[in-house]
Structure formats: C-alpha cells, structure tokens
Amino acid sequence: MKRSLILGLSLALAFTAPAMAQTNSAPQPAPYPPPVAAPADTPFPGVVKLEVDATDLSRRIFWLKQTIPAPKAGPMTLTYAKWIPGNHAPRGPVYNYAGLKITANGKPVPWTRDPVDVFSYHVDVPEGATALNVEAQFLTPLSSAQGPTMVTNEMLRLNWYVAALYPAGYFARQIPFDVTLKLPAGWDYATALETESRTADEIRFKTESWETVIDSPLIAGKHFKSWNLSEDGQSRVSLNVVGDTADMIDASASMIQTHRNLISQADKLFGARHFNHYDFLLTVSDRIATAGIEHARSSDNGVRGGYFKAWDKATVSRDLLAHEYTHSWNGKFRRPADLWTPSFDTPMRNSLLWVYEGQTQYWGIILAARSGFLTKEQALQRLADVAAAYSTRTGRDWRALADTTMDPIIAARRSLPWRDWQRSEDYYSEGLMIWLDADTLIREKSREKKSLDDFAKNFFGVRDGDWGQLTYTVDDVVKTLNKVQPYDWESFIQERVNDVAPNAPMNGFERGGYRLVYRDAPTAYGREFVSPGNLTYSIGLNAGKDGDIASVQWNSPAFEAGLAPGMTIVAVGDKIFDTDTLKDAVAATANGATIVTLTIKDQDQVRTVDLAYTGGLRYPVLERIEGTRDRLGEILKPR
C-alpha cells in the first residue's frame, strides 16, 4: 500500500475515533417509593363512619362524608378499593372519585396520591388529632360511554366501594364500618346489610366489617316490591325489585312461585345454606344498566323492562338469578385459594375461574330448568348455542382455556375485534361444557348411581350456616371428584383446561343422548337470541339491520374474502342490502349456488367481494340420538 494512502487512512481514523467512542445517554431507574403497607390480620382500632347522600338525582352525584379514626400522629395511608370481587380484575372506579378534602380538628390535612399505587392516598396525621374527616363525591356515569348507569329519576344501584376510603394495612374483615344513607323522599331500598334505624329517608345500618359492607350492595327506588321466597322456616330469602314504573314489577303468583322453586331446588342440590339471610336485588329497567354480580348474602341483578311483563315471550335473563344464587356456594363460600384476598388492594389470581364461573354457568342453566325458568326445550337450545359457539372457537388452536381466566385483567371486558380467535373469557361457557362432560361421565361410570349433584353436595354443601370463606385448590376439586366417582380426573382436567386443545369438549352432549346438528332455520326459542343477520355458522359473519358487520368468524368464508368487523354491507348481488336479501342469498347455496356476492363499504372505499360457500343456512340445535339414554333430560328434571 502506498505511503500516502496509509497516511490518509490514519488521519481519517484519528478524526472519527472520538465520535465512535462516544456513548448514548443511559439512565438508571429512579428509586421507587416504599410500597403501601401489606394488610395484617389485626383489628383496626376504631370504627370508620361513612355517610352517603344519594338525593342528588338531577346530577346523579353521591355526596360523601367519612370519619376515619387515626391511631396515631404521623404518616397514614388511605386506600380506594381496586380489586373488586366478582369483577376478577382491578377495576375500582377511582377515576370518578372526586373533590377529595381531608381535615383534622377543623384544619386541612394535605394528601398526596401514591405515584405507583394510584388508588392510595398518603396523609400526615397532625399531633393531637384522633380522626380524619373526609369529604368527596362519586360522580356516577351520565352516559353509557362513561360506564354503566347507576342512577335514574326512579332508582339507583349503590356499591359501597365507590363511596369510601379505608385505612391501609389491615384485612378488610378487621375494619368495622358504620354506614348511613340518605335516600330521595319516599324511596324504599334493599340490601343484605341489616338496618339499625330509619328516620324518614335516612337509614343507619348495623356495624359490619368493610369486607361485609363491600359484599352488600344496595338498590333503591320509588317503585319497590319484595317477596319472601323461603317459607320453610330456614334463613330468609327475599326477592327485592325496583322498576322504572309500577307496572314493570307486577309479578303474578306463578312467576313468584318459579322464583321460590329456585330456592328449594338449590337446597336439594347443595344441602346447606351459607348465609343467615339472602336478598336478591333486582332492577327491572330500560334506563339503568343491566347487572349480574354475586355476593355471599345477596346478588346484584339488573334486567330489562320486559322481565315480568313479557314473561311468556322473553327468556334472555331467565338463568341470571340461578347463576348468581349458585355463586353464594361456588365463589363466595368455596373460593379459589389464589383468588381470595385479605383486602381490596391485593391482586387476585384467577386460575380456577373454570370452576368458580364455569361450574356456576352449568348450574345456572340446570337450576333454571329444574325451577321452571326454562323449559327442557329452551334449556337444550341454550346448550346447543354453547356447543356451536365453542366447537367453532378457532382460538382453541393456540390458546388453552386456563389462559382465558386471565382475560378479566388482560382485556378488562372490552369488545374484541376477533372474538373467536382471541377467545376472551371462555372459562364461563366452555367451563359449562367441561362440567357437563364430568356430570355425564360420572353418571355413566357409576351406572346412574352418582352425578355432579353429589359433587355439589360434597364440595359446596359443607358447614351449613357458615358464611365465611372456605378456600380450595385444584387438588381439592380432584379429591372430591374421586370421592364421588374414582377416575383419572387429573388427566381429565389437564386435557380440557391446561392443554391447547383444538377440539371442544363435546363428549358431554353425546353421552347425554344428543348430538349437535345444524338446520336451515332457528328454533322458535332460538329466534330470540339470533339476530336476523347472524350467519356465523354459515358464511361466518353477523350483520346488523343496516349492514354493519359486528363480527367475522376467523377462517370462515367471510374471513377468507377479506371481510372484517366494522365494514358495512351495501348490497347483496345486485340488490340493496337488507337481512332478508342476505339470508336468501346464503340459502340459495344449499340449492347449487356456490358464491355469495357482496358489495362492501370499507372506510372511504367500496368494493365487491365473492364469498365461496355451499352450505346454506345453518342454525344449531341438539338432536336426540336414538337408542341412547336421555341423560340430559334427567339432569334438567326437577328434584
């Protein structure tokens, strides 16, 4: 190499070396503040007082006051409930808790929100102060975009966790609360909390632990009725109803008898009661949000206005009360060990929701049928819909059922773009299928001497009158199943729950005496649940009356043609879209047609797509297998 070239390279390297040696900025993490005190199982020294003024109907605001004892001067942390039982996720609505002011001895006490645990507030209790006085408001949603409606001019739903702070560092069962509520004039109310006194429209409840208070929501309204459902001298069970109008809550004697049947059928199933009294809280409304949340001594249920008025026609909510009532045993008394938490700022773990919710989903349908909420045919159609949905759940190819138990935390119950591929909270209804599989298997193996009813009595029906919590693990589930009927239950659970399993657990239907088939029209009962443009099991899409595509089945003809939720069907062939025209085009594929042609609006573009399909209209139904035992019929029969 020439000397001049070597010299040039050397100079170039000399000038670039410092630049190459320079490093980018690389920070280290700032130190985190000390964690909020972990809860201890020691009594809180004092009683927290909570006052809720719920009379501001026009602005739908709960006005709040609290007196919180301060054990000593110095740092103290107050916490807002984060992990709400029944939601299985950290969804305490702290975003609507506003106007917080804290005083002691008449002087302001500054507060700061914890920068990591944003549900916690730090204060410095001044010398000489024995209590903190708290004022705030809970701003209930004013539109569905802000959350579920809690207050209307006729009624309200109140969960106490929205209204209060509590001292950190204690088990919730160790913090006593005195609660006072002011209602609009003339309103009546229901809650599992016991009333200490009532003066006009101000109610004071008996002192209970914060655990019990949070587990005892309240409904109230100007149109109120209550019925006693348990007339056998055991612990009281009441049906408490508020409605938009008085006629919405007019229930016939036969309707109430059906609700009474639920209590007697549950007694026969479980053989014990884990409450000293129980209150069904039921809002019947087209204005307030629907609901279904379990509690140990009550359930918070919300249905639409036709619940009683259209009793013989509408059955959408018929298994709701049976499901939530079952939770008093499964979920509230017997609770997964990793889901039980000592306070509402402690993270929950959801690994056993396929038992907690899955078996409750099963008993919800079964008890609804045994009680008369559903006929046998209606219950079979419900089960057919479940079988169809989960036998076509494509997400099973990549995701185990056990992983879906994390979805309340992962997805926060959002609407998902590709529901069947993403799977979401499949532990509910696929869990139902697993427990139907177990029930029919026990019956078969025991020659009809045993059933899942025996599991329910052995697992949930212990310690009559205990309304605490008795936790369990999967080993406890396996042990009890083996006590009822010896079998390799560990492998049964592993294959259906923990393994990625492309095939749905369908054995329970066939062992029960039925097979899933598809017909070219929905059953009379099925029409209540199938919107006219729902062609999920044929071309793989569900379209609204205006052509808006609500869902597309993964790998279906619609998916292969490039369709997606959010698009709009403008035309079917050479005709302007309506649901009948779409169904006619799909029906024609059963008679030789092989293409369904659609004109699609996709954002600002319009295009024509051809769906290759030859199967005609398909709606699920369970068909009897001739010559087999009707175990499903036996399961659904009243006890």
Side-chain angles (χ1 to χ4, degrees), residues 96-327:
N96 280 345
Y97 184 77
L100 177 61
K101 295 181 180 179
I102 302 176
T103 61
N105 293 332
K107 296 180 180 180
V109 175
W111 58 265
T112 57
R113 193 186 301 269
D114 191 279
V116 176
D117 181 359
V118 296
F119 287 71
S120 293
Y121 303 82
H122 300 299
V123 299
D124 196 9
V125 179
E127 290 290 342
T130 58
L132 297 174
N133 298 304
V134 177
E135 292 189 13
Q137 305 86 42
F138 184 77
L139 313 175
T140 76
L142 300 175
S143 71
S144 58
Q146 298 169 357
T149 302
M150 301 177 186
V151 180
T152 71
N153 289 329
E154 294 78 30
M155 70 179 72
L156 64 83
R157 169 181 290 123
L158 174 57
N159 281 285
W160 304 106
Y161 62 76
V162 308
L165 301 178
Y166 61 94
Y170 299 87
F171 278 25
R173 67 187 179 209
Q174 295 280 17
I175 308 172
F177 260 69
D178 272 355
V179 178
T180 301
L181 171 66
K182 187 175 182 182
L183 287 174
W187 282 26
D188 214 335
Y189 67 96
T191 174
L193 292 179
E194 296 175 6
T195 299
E196 178 70 39
S197 62
R198 179 171 187 173
T199 305
D201 299 305
E202 187 166 290
I203 305 102
R204 184 184 177 197
F205 299 99
K206 293 182 179 179
T207 302
E208 293 280 8
S209 71
W210 183 225
E211 176 184 67
T212 299
V213 171
I214 276 194
D215 200 43
S216 306
L218 175 143
I219 60 170
K222 62 171 64 175
H223 309 294
F224 177 94
K225 284 189 177 180
S226 183
W227 292 268
N228 180 15
L229 300 182
S230 182
E231 300 177 327
D232 52 10
Q234 295 189 62
S235 47
R236 171 185 59 78
V237 180
S238 297
L239 174 64
N240 309 283
V241 188
V242 292
D244 290 342
T245 58
D247 64 325
M248 274 188 181
I249 58 175
D250 280 340
S252 68
S254 63
M255 295 175 194
I256 299 305
Q257 184 57 50
T258 299
H259 290 76
R260 290 196 174 106
N261 295 343
L262 172 58
I263 311 310
S264 62
Q265 289 297 320
D267 285 343
K268 291 173 183 177
L269 175 63
F270 297 115
R273 291 185 182 181
H274 298 294
F275 45 79
N276 56 352
H277 52 77
Y278 189 95
D279 286 273
F280 287 102
L281 311 177
L282 181 63
T283 59
V284 182
S285 175
D286 293 320
R287 299 168 188 161
I288 208 165
T290 56
I293 297 290
E294 66 272 14
H295 301 279
R297 298 187 300 164
S298 64
S299 54
D300 183 5
N301 311 281
V303 295
R304 287 301 174 214
Y307 183 76
F308 291 121
K309 293 181 74 172
W311 183 263
D312 295 329
K313 299 177 182 178
T315 57
V316 171
S317 302
R318 288 294 180 83
D319 62 330
L320 173 63
L321 268 60
H323 179 103
E324 302 305 341
Y325 191 48
T326 296
H327 268 315

Side-chain angles (χ1 to χ4, degrees), residues 530-547:
V530 180
S531 59
N534 189 342
L535 301 169
T536 296
Y537 303 115
S538 52
I539 58 174
L541 63 77
N542 182 6
K545 63 180 181 179
D546 296 323

Side-chain angles (χ1 to χ4, degrees), residues 23 132 141 230 259 488 511 625:
T23 58
L132 297 174
S230 182
H259 290 76
D488 185 4
R511 202 183 293 115
I625 303 173

Side-chain angles (χ1 to χ4, degrees), residues 514-536:
Y514 293 79
R515 65 169 65 91
L516 176 67
V517 298
Y518 293 89
R519 295 179 179 162
D520 62 4
T523 63
Y525 174 68
R527 281 195 293 272
E528 184 181 348
F529 296 89
V530 180
S531 59
N534 189 342
L535 301 169
T536 296

